[in-house]
Amino acid sequence: MFETRSLRGRLVLQIVTTLLVLPFVFPLIAMVEGSLAGTGWNNYVTVLSIPLLPEFFRNSAIIATGVIIIVCACSMLAAFGFSKLHIRGREIYFWTLLAALTLPEVVLLTPLFATATSMGAYDTFWSVILPLAALQIPFTVLLARNFMDGIPSELIEAARVDGASTWRTFQDVVLPLTRPIAAAIVILTLITSWNAYLLPLVFLQDPASQTVTLVPQFFIGQFNNDQTKVLAAAVVTAIPEIVAYLCLQRLFERGLAAGALK
């Protein structure tokens, strides 16, 4: 974190921060402005009048919740083992896990499709939840481990001296201290799972089980391409992510600062 006490230093830091933010703000402004073009607010009325829209939001919420639960549970447990437990060859396992970061989602489509079909999971939420969670875990484990490295090992040793088991130490000592990084993982996982497009498109064929990211398809067809309503749909589907970020903003920033920059 950058800190400065002089007025000149704060002014320079504010200008630099503003310039860094502008490239990300302009596309958002253009998206909102484009969604109000043409018929204006009627674009949003048309999007909100889609009969299956509530089911799309429900499906996305189910998928996102499932992914968040799996990712948080696996990430915290794995990070605790990699950071605080004496496991033979743990660095080999850790770097092998990080190697999975190099695997793009599109390369895994064929084996995932074959696996989902053979297990009877095709066209179910599990065919989307499990791959999305698996793709997120390597990065979230990296963040969580860096955060847990900052937790004093003396706390772990004190708990063991008091007779606490490894699980009790994790549950009562380590886990309460990891709320900032847990919030960061929740937000990052929510954004990824909520915005997932390729996996729901391939594995969810029933219209009643599709997600909000597929809503713009209602306004794009062979004889129709209404970009104003596509942008309105993008704005509507982004609202839950914005609300979640605003609710967990402080913990998210603290978690990323400690987990990513340590």
Side-chain angles (χ1 to χ4, degrees), residues 184-198:
I185 290 175
V186 167
I187 292 297
L188 293 174
T189 306
L190 172 63
I191 292 174
T192 302
S193 56
W194 189 269
N195 291 333
Y197 177 79
L198 185 59

Side-chain angles (χ1 to χ4, degrees), residues 9 28 78 155 170 177 184 238:
L28 297 178
L155 293 176
F170 170 75
L177 299 175

Side-chain angles (χ1 to χ4, degrees), residues 9-241:
R10 290 199 299 269
L11 182 61
V12 171
L13 186 59
Q14 182 64 49
I15 294 174
V16 172
T17 304
T18 303
L19 293 176
L20 291 175
V21 169
L22 287 179
F24 300 94
V25 173
F26 282 140
L28 297 178
I29 296 176
M31 181 176 68
V32 175
E33 184 179 0
S35 67
L36 295 173
T39 57
W41 291 104
N42 287 329
N43 294 328
Y44 288 92
V45 174
T46 303
V47 171
L48 295 175
S49 63
I50 296 176
L52 293 177
L53 186 63
E55 295 186 18
F56 293 158
F57 272 93
R58 183 203 63 187
N59 297 337
S60 291
I62 292 173
I63 291 174
T65 302
V67 174
I68 289 172
I69 292 174
I70 294 174
V71 169
C72 285
C74 293
S75 299
M76 292 304 175
L77 289 171
F80 176 65
F82 286 131
S83 177
K84 299 302 180 183
L85 299 183
H86 300 288
I87 302 173
R88 179 178 298 179
R90 68 178 183 180
E91 291 302 320
I92 298 176
Y93 299 140
F94 179 70
W95 288 103
T96 302
L97 180 65
L98 292 187
L101 290 171
T102 62
L103 295 175
E105 185 179 287
V106 66
V107 173
L108 302 175
L109 276 182
T110 300
L112 287 175
F113 183 85
T115 303
T117 303
S118 62
M119 296 179 61
Y122 184 73
D123 204 14
T124 66
F125 291 145
W126 288 113
S127 62
V128 178
I129 292 174
L130 294 179
L132 283 176
L135 290 169
Q136 289 299 302
I137 285 174
F139 179 65
T140 55
V141 168
L142 175 63
L143 289 179
R145 184 192 181 182
N146 288 339
F147 185 91
M148 287 191 185
D149 285 342
I151 298 177
S153 298
E154 289 78 8
L155 293 176
I156 310 297
E157 297 300 329
R160 289 175 176 170
V161 169
D162 291 338
S165 62
T166 301
W167 172 254
R168 191 66 180 270
T169 302
F170 170 75
Q171 181 181 1
D172 295 340
V173 178
V174 176
L175 204 57
L177 299 175
T178 59
R179 287 201 310 168
I181 195 62
I185 290 175
V186 167
I187 292 297
L188 293 174
T189 306
L190 172 63
I191 292 174
T192 302
S193 56
W194 189 269
N195 291 333
Y197 177 79
L198 185 59
L199 290 178
L201 178 66
V202 174
F203 291 104
L204 300 178
Q205 296 301 310
D206 185 3
S209 63
Q210 293 179 348
T211 60
V212 293
T213 54
L214 304 180
V215 171
Q217 291 185 351
F218 283 86
F219 308 106
I220 300 177
Q222 184 177 2
F223 304 104
N224 180 34
N225 188 5
D226 194 339
Q227 290 298 313
T228 58
K229 293 181 177 59
V230 170
L231 294 174
V235 173
V236 171
T237 57
I239 292 176
E241 301 171 271

